[in-house]
Amino acid sequence: MSDLTRQGLNPLTESEPIDWSGRQAVRNRRRRRRADVRLRVYGVAAIAIAFGVLAILLVSLMSTALPAFTQTHIQVPVDLTGEEYAIDADDPGRANYRAMVRNGLMDLFPDVTGRTDQRALFDMISAGAHFEVRQRVLDDLSLIGRTVTMALPASDPLDQLHKGLVETGLPESERRVNDQQIALHDSLVDRGLISRPFNWRLFFAADSRFPELAGLRGAIVGSFWALLICFLLSFPIGVAAAVYLEEFAPKNRFTDLIEVNISNLAAVPSVVFGLLGLAVFLNLFGLPRSAPLVGGMVLALMTLPTMIIVTRAALKAVPPSIREAALGVGASKHQVVLHHVLPLARPGILTGTIIGLAQALGETAPLLLIGMNAFITADPGGLLDPATALPTQIFIWADSPERGFVARTSAAIMVLIGFLVVMNLIAVILRQRYQRKW
């Protein structure tokens, strides 16, 4: 309250000048400055908190995921010459590769003779190592008849021990590796028979029950097919609907109702679209479960409202003078839209499309409801083959009891974040390159 008002005078009608150097005026100015400073401090604090939380998240993820990007291997001599393994060049897939791997380990440690000790020795190598030996022989038949030293994946407990994730000071009953396995591991290290190369299997192998053999290739392929279907459905339908609503539709209550519902659908939880896909695509149409085709259709339903809203915003950003000029020289309405408005709105439409696809890539709930969380150890060969996706693969690994899947879950999250960052970078580049300023 000013001094004039406090004195019962109206400052707008009285001709007496305001004393801006008075005590009350000085206090008012100081109070406003303090309010401005507080507002700036609140904004800076909010940004600092956001960056701090993001940094904590990334550092936590990277520190947990780092062990998954390397894998412990043991150099094992594999005898491919003996007839006792029934290896036949005409049918090499039926040989006893498990015995070859175990005998190779026995050759490394001939002093290990007891049954219990041998079992502890065999537990140091991955339970799926013999499949890898078999695959190498099938890829190169010239290996038959020779003794070949192969780097085979170690089991998950030995992998954890070699990476320093096992506290050897704990009592033996509280560790996943016993004292004998620790001694055998130290012997392998001393003889240079153990290594820790980059884990390419994480990117180029399919899922497995064993953490040391599990990879993301099947999930990446499944996500690619699902996103492709999502794009092919949501992009043309979304753009067409937005063009009609923005350029051709009459402004009445019916179109207002449609616009309100589109805005509301953009805020509907994604699990609702999963329920819709389960009821319509699986139960009504009988499409196969876990198929990328169904996953892409559900993601398209979820992305469609966002696509329409973004496209309408891009169309509105085109100045009306463009339309008026085109109509003025005799262009028809559809020529104005196709030849002038849509090309100028293309940067905004493409940016919104990529951001919508990035959102669909990270969705888990709708894919869980249509069965894309099944355990599948092969890549999907087509749109109707069973498949999983990156978010659901993360969900599967996070629910697995083996300790090795903890690091692989964080690594898979890092891979997913990497894809999202790349897609957003593409959107930024497109916007910067093709954006027009009026």
Side-chain angles (χ1 to χ4, degrees):
M1 184 181 295
S2 66
D3 293 339
L4 295 175
T5 306
R6 198 174 288 112
Q7 295 169 9
L9 302 175
N10 188 349
L12 300 177
T13 57
E14 298 296 332
S15 59
E16 183 179 347
I18 300 174
D19 183 11
W20 295 106
S21 60
R23 184 179 300 175
Q24 183 64 34
V26 172
R27 280 201 296 267
N28 290 340
R29 287 198 295 274
R30 288 177 178 174
R31 188 169 59 250
R32 289 198 297 269
R33 292 195 190 98
R34 286 197 296 270
D36 292 342
V37 171
R38 282 199 302 272
L39 184 61
R40 286 197 292 269
V41 169
Y42 293 156
V44 172
I47 294 174
I49 292 173
F51 273 102
V53 172
L54 180 61
I56 292 173
L57 172 66
L58 293 179
V59 170
S60 173
L61 277 176
M62 292 178 67
S63 61
T64 309
L66 204 57
F69 289 102
T70 58
Q71 174 61 43
T72 305
H73 286 80
I74 302 175
Q75 301 289 332
V76 180
V78 180
D79 183 9
L80 299 171
T81 62
E83 296 180 355
E84 57 180 313
Y85 305 124
I87 186 168
D88 185 359
D90 296 331
D91 189 12
R94 300 176 61 85
N96 190 355
Y97 292 101
R98 188 190 299 272
M100 294 181 196
V101 174
R102 291 188 171 184
N103 288 341
L105 286 173
M106 292 296 297
D107 292 340
L108 292 178
F109 299 98
D111 297 336
V112 178
T113 55
R115 177 173 296 181
T116 304
D117 296 341
Q118 287 181 352
R119 187 180 300 115
L121 174 62
F122 298 153
D123 287 342
M124 295 175 61
I125 201 78
S126 171
H130 60 284
F131 292 116
E132 184 159 328
V133 176
R134 176 180 179 273
Q135 188 59 47
R136 293 189 188 182
V137 172
L138 293 177
D139 294 339
D140 186 5
L141 295 179
S142 66
L143 297 177
I144 298 176
R146 299 159 50 191
T147 298
V148 183
T149 299
M150 297 184 180
L152 300 178
S155 64
D156 181 50
L158 189 73
D159 182 54
Q160 301 285 327
L161 174 65
H162 189 65
K163 292 173 179 174
L165 302 177
V166 176
E167 296 185 22
T168 54
L170 292 175
E172 187 176 8
S173 59
E174 299 180 11
R175 288 188 259 110
R176 295 183 62 197
V177 289
N178 55 33
D179 293 337
Q180 182 195 4
Q181 290 173 323
I182 293 176
L184 295 174
H185 166 262
D186 294 341
S187 175
L188 290 172
V189 173
D190 293 338
R191 288 188 282 172
L193 296 177
I194 197 165
S195 59
R196 190 179 164 188
F198 187 79
N199 187 15
W200 293 106
R201 187 187 297 274
L202 180 66
F203 300 94
F204 298 108
D207 195 12
S208 171
R209 295 289 186 195
F210 309 109
E212 65 274 9
L213 301 178
L216 292 170
R217 188 177 67 182
I220 293 174
V221 175
S223 289
F224 169 77
W225 286 120
L227 278 186
L228 180 64
I229 295 298
C230 175
F231 172 75
L232 293 178
L233 291 178
S234 61
F235 181 75
I237 296 175
V239 171
V243 168
Y244 175 75
L245 290 174
E246 191 63 32
E247 302 291 338
F248 297 100
K251 302 299 179 185
N252 52 36
R253 291 185 178 180
F254 181 69
T255 54
D256 291 342
L257 180 65
I258 292 176
E259 293 176 4
V260 169
N261 279 281
I262 289 173
S263 301
N264 291 335
L265 283 174
V268 170
S270 59
V271 67
V272 176
F273 293 99
L275 289 171
L276 178 64
L278 175 65
V280 177
F281 300 136
L282 298 186
N283 295 339
L284 183 61
F285 294 157
L287 294 175
R289 292 177 64 86
S290 308
L293 175 65
V294 181
M297 294 166 72
V298 172
L299 293 178
L301 290 177
M302 188 195 69
T303 311
L304 200 53
T306 304
M307 202 80 73
I308 296 174
I309 293 173
V310 170
T311 304
R312 292 192 65 188
L315 295 174
K316 285 180 180 176
V318 178
S321 58
I322 301 293
R323 298 175 177 83
E324 295 167 359
L327 291 172
V329 297
S332 62
K333 185 68 175 177
H334 82 277
Q335 287 176 324
V336 172
V337 173
L338 296 179
H339 298 172
H340 300 279
V341 177
L342 269 180
L344 294 175
R346 184 177 53 188
I349 296 174
L350 292 178
T351 302
T353 301
I354 294 175
I355 293 176
L357 292 178
Q359 178 190 1
L361 176 63
E363 284 294 340
T364 308
L367 300 181
L368 292 177
L369 290 177
I370 60 171
M372 288 193 74
N373 58 336
F375 175 67
I376 298 169
T377 58
D379 304 341
L383 296 177
L384 297 178
D385 290 344
T388 182
L390 269 176
T392 52
Q393 187 67 69
I394 293 170
F395 175 82
I396 295 170
W397 284 359
D399 200 38
S400 298
E402 288 82 3
R403 187 173 177 180
F405 279 119
V406 174
R408 277 163 175 75
T409 301
S410 298
I413 293 173
M414 294 297 296
V415 172
L416 179 60
I417 292 176
F419 278 111
L420 296 178
V421 169
V422 169
M423 295 179 74
N424 281 275
L425 280 178
I426 293 174
V428 171
I429 292 172
L430 288 175
R431 185 172 64 245
Q432 294 294 333
R433 182 167 184 177
Y434 296 108
Q435 189 176 23
R436 298 284 298 272
K437 294 183 179 180
W438 315 100

